[in-house]
Amino acid sequence: MTPKASMVHGPKANPEASATEPAPAQAKDLPSVDRLLRAPALSALLDELGAQFVTRQARALLDALRRRALAGELAPSELDELPERLARQCREALAPRMRRVVNLTGTVIHTNLGRALLADAALQQLLHCMASPNNLEYDLDSGGRGDRDSLVESLLCELTGAEAATVVNNNAAAVLLVIAALGRGREVIVSRGELVEIGGAFRMPDVMASAGAELVEVGTTNRTHARDYEGAITERTAMLMKVHTSNYAVQGFTAAVDEATLAPIAHARGLPLVSDLGSGALVDLSQWGLPKEPLPQEMLAAGCDVVTFSGDKLLGGPQAGLIVGKKAFIDRIRKFPMKRALRMSKLPLAALEATLRLYLRPDRLTRELPTLRLLTRPVDEIRAQAQDLAPRLAQALAPRYRVEVADMLGQIGSGSLPVERLPSAGLAIAPLTAKGVGRALESLSDALRGLPLPVIGRVAEDRLWLDLRCLSAQEQQALQEQLPRLRAALGLAAPEITE
Ligand SMILES: *Cc1c(COP(=O)(O)O)cnc(C)c1O
């Protein structure tokens, strides 16, 4: 339990602090569980939440108080209002664990904060399809059993130029499934420069082992040549694989073999070339001045047989693993038994279909797809928002912190383009003390995280940085309404904050 709920009420008379300290309460002064539950103030709560849950909470509360009483630490005042305290404890225990937060980290597609935000069209489709039966696996033409992949396959083929497509729960599952279906019990050749580890324990050598394939590393960390791949092919080789180095860059004296060079080498030996793009993007981001990410359609045109990428990174949709490519391979992948365990649920499938449909009008994407809207937000607009918010925040944090509008560099996030930074703007907050800067920043970021709508920033270089690229007008309003609470949580005297 956190004390934050009680901190928002400003200074309250603390009976413990009175001049003559009363004697501590005794364990025998505590009510029994039954007596506590008979309090009239609890009858509505018992009706709503049921006796079992409330009883367990009551027992936990009384046990904790008894322990403190036995240690001689229980103030008599703590026995007042026990029913109210129990009710509060029950509500806190049941407060939703998944909550909205405000992402001011500067990382637009933040894996820890849920990655891409869904487009309105995707949310509408979810609402529309989830409250009633739908044709998830029902063919409305024939009246027979259908395939859930068919809901998005034609769109994926249309958008990437692939012959066929299938979808699974996420891209890690897509990579696992492709390797297992095409490479189990055989060898898969990957460059040493591409043996990636993505956050959350996705490591290419381990995925390879789980899929039952044998990893054959070729080249060196910085340089791999076509002859390295050619020399490693044996009769046990199942495929050649390229992996996008999503979260690092190999720079300097480097060489890698691109897909267009590798495809003929694979095909000459009758092998498929598989490419894991990680993020992938369905449109060229450089048209909006963003760094270019490789597109699945380019990989297919370069000769890749199978390409995998995520649904909730740059694509801007729900969590999903998309697998596109030649029909013969996609059929094998789709029929592989593991596919059933990795299949997509109907919720993200509905959202994915609606998201993909937006790509038929790329010219509207920066309006309709939140990920692209945020990534292309003009810095001037972000800076103006920072100028608007700065004095309000400065007032709430005075006199302990100084708030300044600052230009900053954000990033796209989720493993795309790690070295490219996204020019942005926001607020840089510095403690106005020479000593204890670290602690002052920590208590500020704790207080921001502890707000009813938690605000997540980033601490670096003796500042707390709030990058406002992802702050919507509605979130800004909510943040401003929370400023008095923020001030109270920091223990700053109540000011005359005007809302
Ligand atoms: C992100 C990523 C994955 C994993 O994708 P998820 O959608 O997170 O499962 C796999 N490979 C690469 C190269 C990635 O960047």
Side-chain angles (χ1 to χ4, degrees):
M1 257 197 303
T2 52
K4 58 181 179 273
S6 60
M7 292 171 80
V8 299
H9 299 297
K12 210 178 184 180
N14 183 352
E16 277 174 283
S18 65
T20 54
E21 287 224 1
Q26 309 274 301
K28 67 175 168 45
D29 301 332
L30 290 166
S32 67
V33 171
D34 279 344
R35 207 178 94 216
L36 175 56
L37 293 181
R38 279 198 301 273
L42 289 175
S43 69
L45 189 81
L46 278 161
D47 181 54
E48 184 191 339
L49 303 180
Q52 186 177 319
F53 175 77
V54 181
T55 305
R56 217 194 306 273
Q57 292 288 328
R59 202 166 285 139
L61 174 62
L62 291 171
D63 284 349
L65 292 174
R66 188 169 302 112
R67 273 195 301 278
R68 306 222 355 258
L70 293 174
E73 293 169 352
L74 189 66
S77 62
E78 292 189 69
L79 299 182
D80 299 342
E81 303 187 338
L82 275 184
E84 290 73 16
R85 190 158 163 190
L86 175 60
R88 206 160 51 234
Q89 178 180 313
C90 289
R91 301 254 173 250
E92 274 171 21
L94 290 177
R97 297 297 162 94
M98 186 183 256
R99 294 163 60 192
R100 297 177 54 158
V101 303
V102 181
N103 171 14
L104 303 187
T105 60
T107 300
V108 176
I109 310 172
H110 199 303
T111 293
N112 302 150
L113 303 182
R115 289 196 183 160
L117 316 181
L118 289 182
D120 276 342
L123 295 171
Q124 293 312 318
Q125 178 77 344
L126 271 176
L127 279 179
H128 184 67
C129 288
M130 291 308 121
S132 61
N134 55 56
N135 62 332
L136 180 66
E137 290 189 353
Y138 183 78
D139 185 339
L140 287 171
D141 291 332
S142 69
R145 188 186 162 87
D147 177 355
R148 62 179 69 205
D149 283 6
S150 66
L151 298 171
V152 291
E153 183 173 18
S154 56
L155 265 173
L156 275 170
C157 291
E158 167 80 29
L159 295 169
T160 63
E163 289 175 9
T166 182
V167 286
V168 286
N169 186 47
N170 54 36
N171 189 40
V175 174
L176 179 72
L177 176 64
V178 169
I179 296 172
L182 305 183
R184 178 126 88 170
R186 296 169 67 200
E187 295 174 352
V188 177
I189 301 175
V190 185
S191 160
R192 287 199 170 88
E194 298 174 4
L195 294 174
V196 304
E197 172 180 313
I198 312 291
F202 177 93
R203 309 174 98 192
M204 205 31 97
D206 299 341
V207 173
M208 207 63 85
S210 323
E214 199 175 314
L215 171 65
V216 175
E217 304 173 20
V218 295
T220 61
T221 304
N222 57 327
R223 291 172 68 83
T224 301
H225 308 282
R227 60 172 185 276
D228 294 324
Y229 288 95
E230 283 171 318
I233 296 175
T234 69
E235 71 287 354
R236 296 199 56 231
T237 305
M239 63 198 213
L240 308 192
M241 185 161 184
K242 286 283 290 177
V243 185
H244 187 259
T245 57
S246 300
N247 46 12
Y248 66 101
V250 183
Q251 284 172 330
F253 184 56
T254 64
V257 187
D258 65 15
E259 286 76 2
T261 312
L262 218 43
I265 294 173
H267 296 159
R269 308 288 289 264
L271 300 171
L273 173 61
V274 172
S275 169
D276 174 24
L277 277 188
S279 189
L282 285 175
V283 286
D284 182 353
L285 300 178
S286 63
Q287 64 185 297
W288 296 292
L290 292 165
K292 178 149 179 355
E293 268 286 302
L295 313 180
Q297 46 271 44
E298 292 169 346
M299 294 295 118
L300 293 170
C304 289
D305 299 277
V306 175
V307 179
T308 60
F309 55 107
S310 280
D312 56 352
K313 290 184 178 172
L314 276 171
L315 192 128
Q319 180 183 305
L322 314 187
I323 308 172
V324 298
K326 301 259 165 63
K327 186 166 185 323
F329 294 113
I330 298 294
D331 281 344
R332 271 170 66 189
I333 292 164
R334 208 198 313 267
K335 291 196 186 104
F336 195 72
M338 189 190 278
K339 163 71 165 53
R340 172 63 180 77
L342 302 177
R343 74 181 185 189
M344 262 183 96
S345 137
K346 63 180 181 175
L347 276 95
L349 248 178
L352 180 62
E353 184 191 10
T355 307
L356 290 174
R357 203 179 298 122
L358 296 176
Y359 278 88
L360 298 173
R361 290 300 307 257
D363 52 318
R364 296 181 186 160
L365 282 173
T366 55
R367 257 187 299 143
E368 296 182 351
L369 198 64
T371 302
L372 267 178
R373 188 166 66 222
L374 295 173
L375 287 174
T376 57
R377 216 180 144 201
V379 181
D380 287 348
E381 186 189 305
I382 305 171
R383 196 179 295 116
Q385 192 179 19
Q387 271 148 3
D388 181 40
L389 185 57
R392 304 169 200 262
L393 197 59
Q395 190 183 14
L397 298 180
R400 200 177 297 163
Y401 300 90
R402 189 181 59 233
V403 178
E404 279 171 351
V405 174
D407 284 345
M408 43 190 85
L409 293 173
Q411 49 188 330
I412 294 176
S414 262
S416 46
L417 317 150
V419 286
E420 308 269 4
R421 305 307 298 269
L422 207 54
S424 190
L427 302 174
I429 308 173
L432 282 170
T433 62
K435 277 192 300 185
V437 167
R439 207 161 356 100
L441 288 172
E442 201 179 310
S443 53
L444 179 57
S445 49
D446 288 353
L448 283 165
R449 271 202 322 279
L451 290 168
L453 179 60
V455 176
I456 321 287
R458 189 170 56 87
V459 172
E461 295 156 18
D462 289 345
R463 300 269 189 292
L464 178 78
W465 303 86
L466 302 178
D467 184 319
L468 302 194
R469 173 174 293 280
C470 296
L471 185 68
S472 69
Q474 185 218 12
E475 286 169 332
Q476 182 182 342
Q477 184 60 36
L479 198 167
Q480 284 167 200
E481 282 162 19
Q482 298 189 110
L483 289 178
R485 270 175 181 269
L486 176 66
R487 189 166 175 84
L490 288 166
L492 289 163
E496 58 299 0
I497 283 192
T498 45
E499 269 308 317

